[in-house]
């Protein structure tokens, strides 16, 4: 009662009149417990009366209800059940654990002295330790300032916390220890080094490891010294500074001799193996890895080191399968500890970039970047940006190059921020390719030289070889063949020393392109034989089939090599197999690129990635001649028939003269490097007859459009939903009527009308199917596109009206009808059909009903 009186007095004296008035609602018979709790509520200074009333009401209910329960029975199980059921005093944490409600707990704590609180924390720690719940014990020991006991437990527990990625917990606990206690526990200094290293704070990490090393030496703790040395070595391994890592690891290995710790010695051997991989000493690395496995009494494990070994020795398919399997496992069991450049998504991204899987490479690079950000590891984030850059490089176009530069520059910025220059080596590898493939050979050379210098200093022979290969490739593209030869020879030698068959194969491929360009048949015959044997033995077919990180801008650049090998019987079966995979089995001649031709809408022509300009077409008739032959395919047409159509105003002799001039100009546009009198890869001639080669390597939008429509037609009757994606891809190709610049040429009109009709019918089918599937907005969009090509296609108006009716927009449906009516009257002088009018009248009825 006295406490309650005091509460009332304090509340009445407060400036909050609402709270003062509310005190009158309190029950004078409330218990002392309620009075104390009310005082606690008052101390919290509730912001409004509703909050105060709600809290005090709960407290009163808790007191009264518990009193009733205690009067009924003193059975503890019943009391706990009652309290939990009514949410009073205690909170259920699940799994059989219960704690006090925070208000009640605070009340109890406030009744205790500082000494009593410390004693209870010590008793709690003593309860938890026999149960093996060290983390709970640590909390209570730190709360009772039992720092020495807490530090001793952390000595043993810290390693598992680091491995599980619980760095913040460990850092917080160690940070609560006084400096004098921390100095007496060198393992804790080493754990602080681990935390800093995994957060990419490498300078700080080295400082902690050095302190751990010094204190361990002073205490005569040999295992502690070894742990500190391994920590420092890991910093240099993470930053790929092989020279410094080797010295520390050898010292740690020497210390481990005579120690009864097989796992520790195995870890050192694995680190030494990884360091040797970075230096390109593959055979030595495998020996150390084998020793580590024997110590662990394990079979051939598929750990991080073996995957990097597979990657750097060119066993890409095996590495890919392991990494994909591991990525799936980590999706459900995430690894909490940062692993620097060893992260699964980052390794997988690089493998996929080598194989030319751009979509996969980009996906896993993004995933790795997000992981770096999540783990707050700037090192991982930087590597993620570089791997994104490699994925963008696979575009092999200006947009891809621009994005790649941004990624590589971001990685360099992070590298400078965290003071890890080693990261710049891989970034410069990427920049060398970007600049060189865009024609800036000097910038490419500067990037290559900087990357090689950093890689050499870090002892990374494999990356140095990759940079040399990149420089040889860009020199080949720039037709600087003597320079290219020197770079490629150095790269090939370095890859052989690193036992990287994939890199060696790529270097051999570029060397063959050089020999073919300078017509060095002797070296060409020798190297193309070796190249295709390496391709077959190692399953490197992707080098000819995809745009790859180490390959040319356009894989079609390599087709002449395959023709040379097939026709010269140099691994002819491998060459023929690759030509079959490319769909070029019947090919006899090839210029080293695929023609891409756009006839629907505006005419455009690309030789590989290079689009022809108006200046390339010196004669208008040359372009008309090409278009005529394309539209006449697969027929071969007599020259006289061609001249009658394209030169109707000229006599026979003048027409034949102009035909020869136009044909010569056409050859120059399609195949600028074609030798005089050599057969054309695109135009066939049989006496006086000419035509487009059936087996020529070209892509034509008209053929693609018709193929997609036919695929849709084949599926539509049985599975309409599977047909729609094919139809939609076809509709995207229809950018306008065929050869819009030649609308008045009679020889184009028949094909134009045929394609337009096929487009209109396909678009109508797509719109109708979308409407039936209630994809109303998409159906309207298709109808609008259709009407832009034929404003009098009446069924499109009907479908739009029905879509608006289904979506509850009758006014829009009426507008569509009036548009239809106006267009038909203006263009054809006719009225809408009865079917269209019937929909119109149904809308009117709907409007009136509304």
């Amino acid at each position: 009662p006295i406490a309650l009186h005091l509460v009332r007095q304090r509340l009445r004296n407060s400036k909050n009149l609402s709270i003062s008035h509310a005190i009158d609602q309190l029950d004078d018979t409330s218990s002392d417990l309620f009075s104390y709790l009310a005082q606690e509520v008052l101390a919290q200074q509730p912001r409004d009366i509703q909050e105060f009333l709600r809290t005090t009401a709960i407290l009163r209910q808790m007191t009264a209800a518990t009193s009733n329960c205690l009067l009924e029975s003193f059975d503890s199980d019943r009391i706990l059940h009652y309290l939990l059921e009514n949410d009073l005093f205690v909170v259920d944490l699940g799994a059989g654990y219960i704690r006090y409600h925070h208000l009640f707990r605070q009340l109890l704590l406030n009744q205790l002295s500082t000494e009593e609180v410390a004693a209870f924390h010590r008793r709690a720690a003593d309860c938890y330790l026999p149960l093996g719940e060290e983390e709970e014990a640590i909390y209570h020991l730190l709360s009772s300032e039992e720092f020495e006991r807490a530090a001793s437990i952390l000595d043993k527990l810290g390693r598992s916390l680091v491995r599980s990625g619980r760095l913040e917990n460990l850092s917080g606990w160690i940070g609560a220890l006084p400096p004098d206690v921390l100095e007496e526990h060198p393992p804790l200094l080493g754990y602080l080094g681990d935390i800093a290293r995994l957060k990419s704070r490498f300078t700080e990490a080295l400082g902690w490891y050095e302190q751990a090393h010094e204190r361990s030496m002073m205490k005569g703790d040999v295992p502690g010294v070894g742990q500190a040395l391994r920590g420092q070595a890991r910093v240099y391994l993470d930053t790929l500074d092989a020279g410094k890592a080797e010295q520390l690891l050898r010292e740690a290995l020497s210390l481990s001799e005579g120690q009864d710790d097989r796992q520790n010695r195995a870890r050192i051997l694995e680190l030494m193996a990884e360091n040797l991989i970075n230096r390109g000493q593959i055979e030595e690395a495998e020996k150390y890895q084998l020793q580590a496995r024997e110590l662990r009494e394990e079979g051939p494990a598929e750990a991080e080191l073996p995957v990097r070994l597979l990657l750097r020795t060119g066993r890409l398919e095996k590495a890919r399968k392991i990494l994909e399997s591991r990525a799936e496992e980590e999706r459900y069991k995430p690894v909490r500890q940062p692993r620097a450049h060893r992260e699964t998504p980052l390794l997988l991204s690089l493998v996929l970039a080598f194989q030319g899987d751009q979509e996969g490479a980009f996906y896993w690079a993004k995933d790795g970047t997000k992981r770096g950000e999540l783990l707050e590891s700037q090192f991982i984030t930087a590597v993620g940006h570089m791997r994104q850059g490699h994925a963008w490089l696979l575009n092999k176009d200006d947009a891809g190059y621009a994005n790649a530069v941004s990624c590589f520059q971001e990685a360099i910025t992070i590298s400078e921020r965290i003071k890890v220059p080693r990261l710049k080596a891989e970034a410069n590898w990427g920049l060398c390719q970007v600049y060189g493939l865009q024609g800036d050979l000097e910038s490419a050379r500067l990037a290559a030289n900087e990357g090689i210098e950093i890689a050499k200093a870090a002892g990374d022979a494999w990356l140095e070889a990759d940079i040399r290969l990149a420089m040889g490739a860009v020199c080949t593209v720039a037709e600087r063949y003597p320079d290219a030869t020197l770079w490629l020879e150095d790269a090939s030698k370095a890859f052989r020393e690193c036992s990287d068959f994939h890199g060696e194969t790529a270097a051999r491929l570029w060397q063959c392109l050089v020999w073919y360009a300078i017509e060095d048949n002797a070296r060409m015959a020798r190297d193309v034989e070796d190249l295709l044997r390496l391709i077959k033995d190692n399953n490197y077919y992707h080098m000819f089939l995809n745009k790859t990180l180490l390959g040319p801008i356009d894989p079609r650049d390599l087709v002449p090599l395959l023709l040379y090998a097939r026709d010269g019987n140099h691994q002819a079966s491998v060459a023929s197999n690759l030509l079959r995979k490319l769909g070029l089995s019947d090919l006899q001649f090839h210029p080293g690129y695929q023609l891409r031709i756009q006839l629907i809408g505006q005419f455009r022509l690309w030789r590989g990635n290079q689009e022809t300009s108006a200046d390339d077409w010196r004669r208008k008739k040359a372009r008309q001649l090409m278009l005529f032959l394309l539209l006449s395919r697969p027929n071969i047409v007599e020259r006289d028939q061609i001249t009658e159509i394209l030169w109707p105003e000229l006599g026979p002799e003048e027409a034949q003269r102009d035909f020869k001039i136009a044909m010569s100009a056409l050859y120059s546009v399609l195949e600028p490097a074609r030798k005089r009198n050599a057969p054309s890869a695109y135009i066939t001639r049989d006496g006086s007859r000419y035509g487009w080669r059936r087996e020529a390597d070209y892509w034509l939008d008209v053929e693609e459009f018709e193929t997609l429509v036919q695929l849709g037609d084949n599926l539509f009757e049985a599975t309409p939903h599977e047909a729609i994606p094919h139809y939609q891809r076809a509709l995207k190709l229809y950018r306008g009527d065929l050869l819009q610049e030649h609308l008045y040429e009679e020889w184009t009109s028949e094909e134009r009308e045929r394609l337009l009709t096929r487009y209109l019918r396909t678009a109508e089918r797509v719109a109708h199917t979308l409407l039936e599937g209630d994809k109303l907005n998409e159906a309207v969009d298709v109808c609008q596109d259709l009407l832009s090509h034929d404003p009098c296609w009446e069924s499109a108006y009907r479908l739009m009206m029905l879509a608006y009716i289904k979506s509850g927009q009758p006014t829009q449906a009426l507008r569509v009808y009036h548009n239809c009516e106006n267009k038909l009257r203006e263009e054809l002088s006719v009225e809408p059909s009865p079917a269209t009018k019937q929909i119109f009248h149904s809308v009117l009825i709907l409007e009136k009903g509304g």
Side-chain angles (χ1 to χ4, degrees):
I2 296 173
L4 185 60
H5 172 74
L6 292 173
V7 171
R8 275 209 178 98
Q9 287 301 111
R10 290 176 65 185
L11 285 171
R12 286 196 177 101
N13 292 334
S14 73
K15 296 180 181 180
N16 192 325
L17 297 179
S18 298
I19 292 180
S20 179
H21 174 71
I23 281 298
D24 293 332
Q25 301 180 37
L26 296 179
D27 185 358
D28 287 336
T29 63
S30 298
S31 67
D32 290 346
L33 174 61
F34 172 59
S35 300
Y36 286 126
L37 292 174
Q39 283 184 297
E40 293 301 319
V41 171
L42 179 65
Q44 294 179 13
Q45 293 296 322
R47 295 182 181 180
D48 56 53
I49 186 60
Q50 293 300 323
E51 179 183 348
F52 178 79
L53 290 175
R54 183 164 54 251
T55 307
T56 53
I58 290 172
L59 295 176
R60 183 163 54 238
Q61 179 189 11
M62 288 168 63
T63 305
T66 308
S67 298
N68 292 337
C69 177
L70 292 171
L71 288 172
E72 290 177 9
S73 170
F74 287 98
D75 182 270
S76 61
D77 288 338
R78 289 187 61 192
I79 293 173
L80 280 176
H81 178 74
Y82 184 87
L83 294 177
L84 289 170
E85 194 174 62
N86 292 276
D87 195 23
L88 304 175
F89 283 134
V90 292
V91 177
D92 187 0
L93 299 180
Y97 289 91
I98 297 170
R99 69 165 172 80
Y100 285 123
H101 187 281
H102 70 280
L103 279 174
F104 188 59
R105 178 178 180 277
Q106 192 60 44
L107 167 71
L108 296 177
L109 286 174
N110 286 345
Q111 313 310 309
L112 301 174
S113 67
T114 303
E115 293 76 13
E116 289 174 316
V117 170
F120 279 123
H121 275 300
R122 284 192 293 272
R123 287 177 61 186
D126 291 338
C127 288
Y128 280 117
L129 283 172
L131 298 175
E133 298 188 25
E134 291 91 349
E135 293 185 28
E136 292 290 345
I138 288 171
Y139 163 74
H140 291 291
L141 290 172
L142 292 175
S143 298
S144 61
E145 298 187 355
E146 291 280 330
F147 297 124
E148 182 60 38
R149 289 180 66 192
S152 297
I153 296 172
L154 283 172
D155 279 348
K156 300 174 182 177
L157 187 63
R159 178 57 53 202
S160 64
L161 292 172
V162 169
R163 288 176 179 169
S164 62
R166 299 179 58 198
L167 306 181
E168 300 302 330
N169 300 62
L170 180 59
S171 178
W173 287 330
I174 297 177
L177 298 172
D180 58 328
V181 174
L182 187 57
E183 285 185 356
E184 293 302 313
H185 292 267
L188 301 185
L189 298 171
Y191 297 148
L192 289 175
D194 292 337
I195 293 168
R197 175 175 59 82
L198 294 170
K199 295 288 187 181
S200 302
R201 303 194 300 267
F202 297 110
T203 302
E204 178 187 336
L206 286 173
W208 286 118
Y209 288 136
E210 286 167 2
Q211 288 187 56
H213 181 271
E214 180 182 347
R215 296 301 300 178
S216 296
M217 290 284 288
M218 291 176 63
K219 295 173 73 68
D221 180 2
V222 175
V225 173
Q227 179 182 336
L229 289 171
R230 287 203 312 275
Q232 293 177 68
R234 279 193 173 276
V235 170
Y236 295 121
L237 279 171
D238 285 351
T239 56
L240 296 180
D241 192 335
K244 293 180 180 178
E246 181 178 12
Q247 179 182 349
L248 291 164
L249 287 171
R250 290 195 179 281
E251 187 177 346
L253 188 64
S254 176
L255 282 172
S256 71
E257 292 179 1
Q259 298 291 320
D260 188 19
D261 189 348
R262 297 166 63 89
Q263 296 301 317
N264 173 43
R265 189 170 176 84
R267 281 195 295 271
I268 297 172
L269 289 168
E270 286 175 339
L271 292 174
M272 293 185 72
E274 180 172 354
N275 195 47
L276 288 167
I277 288 175
N278 295 337
R279 303 185 70 169
Q281 299 174 24
I282 304 303
E283 291 184 7
E284 288 298 312
E286 289 179 325
K287 290 178 183 177
Y288 279 116
Q289 182 62 23
L290 180 60
Q291 291 178 44
R293 288 175 186 166
E294 290 173 350
L295 280 172
R296 293 182 184 276
E297 297 179 349
E298 294 177 347
E302 293 179 341
E304 294 161 359
L305 177 62
V307 172
R308 292 190 71 235
L309 187 66
L310 294 173
L311 169 62
R312 288 189 167 219
T313 54
R315 289 169 277 182
L316 300 184
E317 195 57 34
K318 188 173 182 180
R320 176 177 182 164
K321 289 178 180 177
I322 293 172
L323 288 166
E324 287 176 338
S325 175
R326 185 183 299 166
E328 186 64 22
E329 292 174 7
E330 292 177 6
R331 190 185 303 276
Y332 301 102
K333 295 181 181 179
V335 178
R336 304 298 181 188
Q337 179 182 350
R339 293 167 292 180
H341 51 278
R342 309 172 194 86
E343 293 289 345
T344 297
L346 299 179
L347 290 171
L348 182 53
S349 177
L350 187 57
V351 170
L352 295 174
F354 281 144
Q355 292 185 324
D357 181 350
Q358 185 191 30
E359 184 177 351
F362 193 72
Y363 173 85
W364 289 111
K366 290 282 286 185
D367 188 75
T369 307
K370 289 177 183 176
R371 177 167 166 78
E373 293 167 352
L374 180 67
L375 296 174
E376 298 180 2
S377 170
Q378 294 188 71
F379 187 98
I380 294 174
T381 303
V383 177
H385 282 296
M386 288 190 292
R387 300 294 155 84
Q388 287 186 57
H390 296 324
W392 279 117
L393 265 175
L394 297 180
N395 271 22
K396 307 288 187 180
D397 60 20
D398 290 340
Y401 298 145
N403 283 301
V405 168
S406 297
C407 292
F408 294 133
Q409 293 290 4
E410 178 64 21
I412 289 172
T413 299
I414 296 174
S415 170
E416 292 172 345
R417 184 162 61 240
I418 63 176
K419 299 179 181 178
V420 183
R422 168 61 185 80
L423 286 170
K424 295 182 184 179
E426 184 175 338
N428 276 292
W429 173 31
L431 290 173
C432 171
Q433 295 182 77
V434 172
Y435 297 143
L437 295 177
Q438 287 182 305
D440 186 352
L441 210 59
E442 184 55 34
S443 294
R445 193 186 308 278
L446 290 173
N449 288 337
E450 182 178 352
I452 289 170
E453 183 179 348
I454 295 171
K456 268 186 176 179
D460 194 337
W462 179 80
L463 185 54
E464 183 183 347
D466 278 304
I467 298 171
R468 292 186 182 281
L469 172 63
M471 198 62 214
V474 299
C475 285
T476 304
V477 172
E479 299 182 2
R480 301 282 291 273
Y481 299 123
D483 290 341
T485 299
L486 294 175
W487 285 105
L488 293 172
E489 285 177 352
D490 288 345
S492 183
K493 179 182 178 182
F495 281 126
R496 279 197 299 274
E497 291 175 352
C498 293
S499 301
D500 181 2
F501 290 108
H502 186 256
E504 184 181 354
T505 304
R508 190 65 53 84
L509 182 148
W510 283 102
Q511 285 175 322
C512 285
L513 285 173
V514 171
W515 308 147
Y516 184 81
I518 65 177
E519 299 183 19
D520 188 334
N521 290 321
R523 285 193 282 188
M524 176 67 177
R526 177 198 67 195
D527 284 354
V528 79
E529 179 91 23
D530 291 342
L531 168 65
L532 293 179
R533 185 173 57 254
L534 285 166
I535 294 289
K536 179 187 69 174
D537 292 346
N538 297 284
N539 193 26
Y540 293 155
Y541 295 102
H542 56 266
M543 287 189 174
F544 282 85
L545 303 177
N546 305 329
K547 290 182 179 180
T548 64
L549 189 59
L550 303 184
I553 296 175
D554 184 354
R556 288 304 206 273
D557 292 352
L558 306 175
V559 173
L561 304 185
L562 296 177
L563 295 180
Y564 179 94
R566 182 196 65 185
D567 298 340
N569 201 28
H570 305 292
Q571 295 288 326
S573 61
V574 180
S576 297
N577 184 34
L578 281 165
L579 287 168
R580 179 184 57 78
K581 289 177 180 289
L582 291 166
L584 303 174
S585 295
D586 298 331
L587 204 65
Q588 299 299 317
F589 314 103
H590 198 276
Y593 49 81
Q594 182 187 56
L595 279 185
R596 291 178 54 240
I597 309 163
Q598 177 181 305
L599 301 185
I600 303 174
Q602 181 184 3
F603 168 75
R604 298 175 73 182
L605 173 70
W606 292 264
R607 294 188 299 259
N609 289 343
Q610 181 182 3
E611 184 174 6
T612 58
S613 65
D615 293 338
D616 293 323
W617 296 94
R618 299 192 306 274
R619 294 183 176 273
K620 179 181 177 181
K621 286 296 183 182
R623 184 166 67 177
Q624 286 186 334
L625 179 57
M626 172 188 166
L627 298 176
F628 179 85
L629 294 176
L630 277 169
L631 295 185
S632 300
R633 71 191 192 290
N635 298 324
I636 298 179
V637 186
E638 281 286 350
R639 182 177 56 202
D640 291 345
Q641 184 180 349
I642 298 172
T643 56
E644 286 177 9
I645 293 173
L646 298 183
W647 289 274
E649 73 284 0
L650 299 180
E653 292 185 5
E654 292 85 351
Q656 285 192 26
R657 179 200 62 207
D658 282 12
F659 172 84
K660 290 180 180 179
I661 294 172
M663 183 60 75
S664 177
L666 177 57
Y667 285 144
S668 297
V669 173
L670 298 183
E671 302 166 81
R674 171 179 167 271
K675 294 180 180 179
R676 185 177 180 82
N677 298 323
S680 168
Y682 296 102
I683 308 298
T684 184
R685 177 182 179 183
D686 182 9
S688 61
R689 297 189 303 158
Y690 293 82
W692 192 262
R693 280 193 184 278
R694 176 185 55 80
E695 74 279 9
D697 185 13
Y698 70 99
W699 179 91
L700 181 63
D701 61 348
V702 172
E703 291 183 351
E704 182 72 6
F705 171 82
E706 297 204 85
T707 298
L708 290 169
V709 171
Q710 190 59 54
L711 283 171
D713 290 345
N714 295 341
L715 294 168
F716 188 78
E717 293 301 327
T719 53
H721 65 283
E722 293 183 11
I724 295 303
H726 297 294
Y727 284 146
Q728 289 175 323
R729 287 169 57 199
L731 297 183
K732 286 183 180 179
L733 288 172
Y734 202 90
R735 307 172 187 85
D737 292 338
L738 180 78
L739 296 175
Q740 290 177 345
E741 306 97 318
H742 300 274
L743 290 177
Y744 304 107
E745 303 285 352
E746 290 186 8
W747 50 274
T748 66
S749 58
E750 183 178 345
E751 180 69 357
R752 181 179 300 112
E753 289 300 319
R754 186 186 69 80
L755 283 176
L756 175 60
T757 301
R758 195 157 196 194
Y759 162 77
L760 295 171
R761 288 175 177 169
T762 301
E764 180 182 342
R765 175 173 279 186
V766 170
H768 188 273
T769 305
L770 292 172
L771 180 63
E772 287 183 338
D774 288 332
K775 296 181 179 180
L776 307 180
N777 291 334
E778 293 181 47
V780 169
D781 290 342
V782 173
C783 289
Q784 288 175 336
D785 287 342
L786 187 158
L787 291 170
S788 70
H789 295 292
D790 187 343
C792 295
W793 197 265
E794 191 174 350
S795 60
Y797 291 107
R798 288 198 295 271
L799 290 170
M800 287 180 69
M801 292 170 70
L802 291 171
Y804 283 128
I805 292 170
K806 290 184 76 173
S807 64
Q809 303 179 70
T811 303
Q812 284 294 100
L814 292 176
R815 288 176 181 165
V816 171
Y817 175 79
H818 291 307
N819 286 339
C820 172
E821 187 177 41
N822 293 335
K823 284 293 181 182
L824 291 177
R825 187 180 295 117
E826 292 172 6
E827 300 284 340
L828 304 176
S829 300
V830 297
E831 294 291 322
S833 68
T836 307
K837 288 181 178 180
Q838 183 178 356
I839 297 174
F840 169 67
H841 290 306
S842 67
V843 177
L844 290 178
I845 294 171
L846 184 65
E847 283 279 81
K848 290 179 181 178

